[in-house]
Amino acid sequence: RAARRGARDPFGYDRAAHDLVLPLLRFFYERYWRVRVDGTEHVPAEGAALLVCNHSGAIPIDAAMLTAAMEFAVRPPRLLRFLFD
C-alpha cells in the first residue's frame, strides 16, 4: 500500500508529513472547533468513495476538518484526497 512508510505514492502523499501534522489537526478537530460528525456509518471501510461538500468562506479549513474526521471518526480510518475547482 502507498500509505506505508517509505512507499512511493504517484499522487504526492507523504506519510511522514501526514504523521507530522496529525497532532495539530487533532487539536483543531477536538479542542478548538470541537467538530461533531454525523453519517460516518455511510463511509465504506475500503474501496473508492466520493465525499461531496459545499465550501463557503475564504479559508478552506472545513476541508482540513473533513480530513481529520476521516482519520479520527471513521473506523477504519480513511485517507482523503482532494479534487477541487
Side-chain angles (χ1 to χ4, degrees), residues 52-76:
V52 180
C53 59
N54 183 26
H55 164 73
S56 81
I59 301 173
I61 199 66
D62 51 344
M65 292 302 100
L66 186 56
T67 299
M70 293 300 104
E71 183 78 32
F72 305 133
V74 173
R75 293 292 168 248

